Amino acid sequence: MTKKRVLCCYGIDVDAVSGWLGSYGGEDSPADISRGLFAGHVGIPRMLKMLEKYNIKGTWFIPGHSLETFPEECKMVKEAGHEIGLHGYSHENPTDMTVEQQHAVLDKCIKLITEFSGKPPTGSAAPWWETSTDGIKMLLDKGIEYDHSMFHQDCQPYWCRSGDTWTKIDYSQKAETWMKPLVKGRSTSLVEIPVNWYIDDLPPMMFMKNSSDGYGWANARDIEDIWRDHFDYFYREYDEFIFPINCHPDVSGRPHAILMHERLIEHINKHEGIEWVTMDEVNKDFRSKNSIPPNSIMPSL
């Protein structure tokens, strides 16, 4: 039997109050802001305790707003030896910002994380996993080595590509004007650690009043089934793969979600070849085995 090697990793987005300011439509609601405070003050310590139980070091993508609002809880993350990555300041949508605004947010957050952790971040997860061509080039130029925001794969890291273009349908024009294939952009020297909405806790398990699909009361065991099925399929089909779990203290700090994570971790740990790593370790492992493709977009000197 071929030996398996599985790199499992936790990406934890500390959206907290910033999520309501930038993405969830709760910026005018004291009740929703209160839910963000729960995520920081209660959710973070609970998730830290859960990860410590299984000796797992995760990657915490902490918005600048969360870093400045919850300094004591974020200090706990740092002191426990977890990786800290970028996740915007107020969970802003990169596609809604000007280039100048993107620069300002990136510079501010790199400075905050560097001063807080004593070293610059190597990874970034875009809020709402929305990226821009300008933003990817900015990450490269600021020394960021990997991104965790794209969907080209689900269990294999790859070199991030930027600048894909496609033709939208315009029914007021002749059909010939839109019947054109997607044009691929260029690879970059940024490693992409793929994301997957189906292995994310927030969409199915967080109630949002202003979202048409913000139901929030999905049975955690149903979500667990989906996540476990992903893992079991990957394990059957691949000798080497990554299993990047994405979660939030807002959701996974709740009792039903904590118990779900514990059951899933214990299921995964029954298999041979399991390694729990940070996303930067995935990045470094991929770079050690793969050359940057020719003609890739590189950091500006």
Side-chain angles (χ1 to χ4, degrees):
M1 182 177 177
T2 304
K3 187 177 181 180
K4 298 281 187 176
R5 184 167 187 253
V6 184
L7 301 183
C8 298
C9 44
Y10 262 92
I12 301 131
D13 299 347
V14 188
D15 293 359
V17 174
S18 75
W20 296 104
L21 296 176
S23 298
Y24 307 154
E27 65 272 23
D28 297 318
S29 168
D32 285 338
I33 298 301
S34 177
R35 295 166 67 189
L37 292 169
F38 166 90
H41 292 313
V42 182
I44 290 176
R46 284 182 180 173
M47 289 205 69
L48 281 170
K49 183 178 180 180
M50 183 268 291
L51 293 173
E52 182 181 13
K53 177 179 178 179
Y54 296 99
N55 194 31
I56 294 172
K57 302 299 183 187
T59 298
W60 296 66
F61 296 103
I62 306 181
H65 186 281
S66 298
L67 197 60
E68 294 193 296
T69 303
F70 306 103
E72 293 181 4
E73 290 79 8
C74 290
K75 184 179 179 183
M76 294 167 60
V77 172
K78 179 181 71 172
E79 291 182 344
H82 297 277
E83 178 191 4
I84 297 176
L86 295 162
H87 197 45
Y89 186 86
S90 296
H91 212 269
E92 309 88 348
N93 189 329
T95 61
D96 290 336
M97 290 193 288
T98 65
V99 172
E100 181 183 8
Q101 289 171 329
Q102 291 181 65
H103 269 295
V105 169
L106 185 58
D107 288 344
K108 169 79 170 180
C109 295
I110 289 177
K111 183 174 185 290
L112 283 173
I113 290 176
T114 301
E115 291 176 349
F116 174 77
S117 62
K119 58 183 178 180
T122 57
S124 173
W128 269 120
W129 293 340
E130 289 287 354
T131 62
S132 69
T133 299
D134 292 318
I136 289 175
K137 188 63 169 64
M138 288 178 202
L139 293 178
L140 286 167
D141 290 346
K142 295 296 182 180
I144 302 304
E145 295 185 10
Y146 76 87
D147 177 61
H148 180 56
S149 313
M150 300 294 282
F151 302 81
H152 292 50
Q153 296 279 348
D154 58 5
C155 69
Q156 301 292 336
Y158 59 96
W159 296 110
C160 182
R161 195 172 67 226
S162 180
D164 287 3
T165 58
W166 53 91
T167 304
K168 294 189 288 186
I169 298 171
D170 182 353
Y171 290 112
S172 68
Q173 303 297 319
K174 292 183 178 180
E176 289 77 9
T177 64
W178 71 71
M179 291 193 293
K180 300 175 182 179
L182 178 143
V183 178
K184 296 179 181 178
R186 290 168 59 192
S187 293
T188 74
S189 59
L190 197 69
V191 173
E192 185 62 44
I193 300 174
V195 295
N196 186 341
W197 282 117
Y198 298 102
I199 312 179
D200 186 289
D201 61 350
L202 194 143
M205 292 198 290
M206 189 162 94
F207 169 63
M208 289 182 279
K209 297 191 292 287
N210 297 318
S211 175
S212 60
D213 60 352
Y215 171 63
W217 282 276
N219 186 339
R221 284 175 168 77
D222 293 335
I223 307 306
E224 178 186 342
D225 283 345
I226 295 172
W227 292 14
R228 188 175 60 249
D229 282 349
H230 274 76
F231 175 83
D232 288 348
Y233 175 83
F234 296 153
Y235 199 85
R236 188 187 75 186
E237 297 293 325
Y238 298 90
D239 294 328
E240 293 193 16
F241 65 92
I242 64 171
F243 191 67
I245 298 169
N246 206 75
C247 55
H248 307 71
D250 315 63
V251 178
S252 287
R254 302 289 180 178
H256 63 303
I258 288 281
L259 295 177
M260 176 193 78
H261 283 286
E262 291 181 350
R263 291 190 298 269
L264 183 71
I265 291 169
E266 290 171 9
H267 171 74
I268 290 172
N269 284 347
K270 293 176 183 176
H271 295 74
E272 297 291 333
I274 302 300
E275 299 177 39
W276 289 97
V277 299
T278 65
M279 292 197 181
D280 188 49
E281 289 176 292
V282 174
N283 160 54
K284 297 290 196 294
D285 183 78
F286 179 81
R287 287 180 181 276
S288 71
K289 299 174 180 176
N290 297 273
S291 299
I292 299 171
N295 198 36
S296 290
I297 300 172
M298 304 290 288
S300 299
L301 298 176

